[in-house]
Amino acid sequence: MDTCRIPANASKCSGSTMECFMVLSTRAQKISIGILCGLFGTMCVFENSLVLYLIFSSPGTRKKPSYLFIGSLALADTLASIIFVCSFVNFHVFHEAGFSKEVFLLQLGGVSTSFSASLSSLLLTALDRYISISRPSEYKLLMTRRRAWTALAVLWVTCATIACLPLLGWNCCVLDSACSELFPFVDDNYLSGWLCFVVLLLGCIVYAYAHVLWRARQHVAYMEKHQAQAGKQNSRMRMDVMLAKTLVMVLAVLMLCWSPVLVLMIYSVFARLSDRLRKVFAFCSTLCLLNSMVNPIIYALRSKELFCSLRRLLSHLRRQLKVPEEGPEAESTHKSSVVET
């Protein structure tokens, strides 16, 4: 098979050029990508949808800003999984290149919006945890539901605006500039700017969590020193420290899953990629689905409130399944016991 080189300029912005970005050449590679995307994507949608249901079905969690930010993260992961799997498999496995430039950039914008919103939600959660730990007496005044919803609205609008810039005209076809070697029609300067935005978000998250961990460590030392004064305040501190550790685990998984993709994207800005590296990038891109799949598992294992909600949901489903199996008599007995309770 002849090697298809990606043009450095925008002289080839037709649909046929998109075939040069279809780097999976063998049947085994296509099957592997299809299985990974199908498995990870299905689990991502199911798990994150479950997290959203657990958060917004419980009055205790949906009113808390912390869980609103976690809900935003789950929503971003759900959208990213759906858009990414559909567009990625359609492009690399089935080699569908008949859609227009606008449709492709719209799909790419959807994935970029979701990933940026996921990072931004983590940043808001880090700031929320820092305020809760450092200024517990003023937390409810500083972090209200209205401010949380306003921050989320600004977050999603900003991420969507930045992601849609190529669709609005900042692409190498319109500007007649250097095109990216990884994404059709994407301008190299835009990719550099988007990478700077993502690195800035990651830097702010790491900086915020460094302060969260520092304050959490101080609180752990305080609790060990004042064991006899265990009460409401210490219980609140334990919850804050627990949630801070949970979100650090989320951040660690995020960095491990997205580092290979970001490194290759940064490298593509400064150097020309070989066909082998472009294939590696295609496979590394599926790690974003793994990240979205692991996050809900961390919530279920580390968040006491979500875990209790999940147990109640499973118990309810188990009772619903037992009623048809036991027959009409068991059903009437079950109803009478519920009434007595």
Side-chain angles (χ1 to χ4, degrees):
M1 184 176 178
D2 294 333
T3 303
C4 188
R5 301 305 301 172
I6 305 301
N9 53 39
S11 60
K12 294 183 179 180
C13 282
S14 61
S16 60
T17 308
M18 296 182 68
E19 297 178 0
C20 298
F21 294 87
M22 299 174 181
V23 295
L24 303 182
S25 55
T26 66
R27 184 180 179 83
Q29 292 173 354
K30 296 176 184 178
I31 292 176
S32 300
I33 285 289
I35 292 175
L36 288 174
C37 289
L39 178 63
F40 291 165
T42 303
M43 292 298 296
C44 286
V45 173
F46 172 74
E47 292 176 1
N48 285 287
S49 299
L50 180 60
V51 170
L52 287 171
Y53 174 79
L54 293 177
I55 290 175
F56 291 101
S57 64
S58 172
T61 54
R62 67 167 176 257
K63 293 180 180 179
K64 296 182 179 180
S66 302
Y67 287 101
L68 290 179
F69 299 146
I70 292 176
S72 175
L73 176 63
L75 176 62
D77 286 338
T78 302
L79 294 177
S81 302
I82 296 173
I83 301 172
F84 178 85
V85 169
C86 292
S87 58
F88 195 80
V89 171
N90 194 41
F91 187 82
H92 283 290
V93 177
F94 298 107
H95 284 187
E96 290 291 335
F99 43 81
S100 64
K101 175 189 69 176
E102 288 74 18
V103 172
F104 177 84
L105 292 177
L106 182 62
Q107 293 175 349
L108 185 62
V111 176
S112 300
T113 299
S114 303
F115 174 51
S116 302
S118 178
L119 276 179
S120 302
S121 299
L122 276 176
L123 177 58
L124 288 180
T125 310
L127 295 175
D128 172 75
R129 286 299 87 205
Y130 177 72
I131 295 173
S132 178
I133 290 178
S134 61
R135 304 172 72 175
S137 59
E138 304 174 29
Y139 173 76
K140 289 186 178 180
L141 294 175
L142 295 174
M143 189 58 68
T144 62
R145 288 187 66 198
R146 183 176 180 179
R147 290 181 178 178
W149 281 111
T150 302
L152 289 174
V154 173
L155 176 160
W156 280 90
V157 170
T158 302
C159 293
T161 301
I162 294 174
C164 289
L165 288 177
L167 183 62
L168 297 175
W170 191 355
N171 57 74
C172 58
C173 299
V174 174
L175 300 177
D176 194 23
S177 56
C179 295
S180 169
E181 290 188 332
L182 294 174
F183 307 101
F185 314 123
V186 174
D187 178 66
D188 256 345
N189 292 327
Y190 169 79
L191 182 60
S192 301
W194 186 83
L195 286 171
C196 290
F197 173 66
V198 170
V199 171
L200 178 63
L201 283 178
L202 289 173
C204 292
I205 292 172
V206 172
Y207 180 79
Y209 272 113
H211 284 276
V212 168
L213 288 178
W214 177 64
R215 296 295 298 184
R217 190 174 181 180
Q218 284 186 328
H219 282 183
V220 170
Y222 174 84
M223 286 186 291
E224 290 176 351
K225 196 178 285 186
H226 299 80
Q227 289 278 335
Q229 299 178 4
K232 235 181 183 185
Q233 185 178 4
N234 282 358
S235 298
R236 174 62 184 274
M237 288 181 180
R238 287 191 183 95
M239 289 176 61
D240 289 337
V241 171
M242 189 73 169
L243 190 50
K245 291 180 179 179
T246 299
L247 296 170
V248 168
M249 291 173 61
V250 173
L251 178 60
V253 172
L254 178 78
M255 296 294 290
L256 288 174
C257 291
W258 280 95
S259 291
V261 174
L262 292 176
V263 167
L264 286 173
M265 289 172 67
I266 294 172
Y267 180 76
S268 71
V269 174
F270 299 100
R272 201 162 178 80
L273 296 178
S274 63
D275 291 338
R276 185 176 181 180
L277 280 179
R278 290 165 58 210
K279 289 180 181 179
V280 170
F281 177 79
F283 277 93
C284 288
S285 297
T286 60
L287 289 176
C288 67
L289 295 176
L290 179 62
N291 169 68
S292 300
M293 186 179 71
V294 171
N295 284 345
I297 298 175
I298 298 176
Y299 303 149
L301 293 177
R302 303 285 296 182
S303 173
K304 186 178 179 180
E305 291 180 87
L306 289 184
F307 185 71
C308 291
S309 298
L310 179 60
R311 287 182 62 182
R312 286 195 297 268
L313 177 63
L314 293 177
S315 298
H316 177 71
L317 293 176
R318 195 178 298 116
R319 287 195 299 268
Q320 293 294 322
L321 291 174
K322 282 183 179 179
V323 169
E325 294 176 1
E326 294 173 353
E329 296 181 359
E331 183 177 359
S332 60
T333 304
H334 174 71
K335 285 182 179 179
S336 62
S337 65
V338 170
V339 172
E340 290 175 2
T341 304

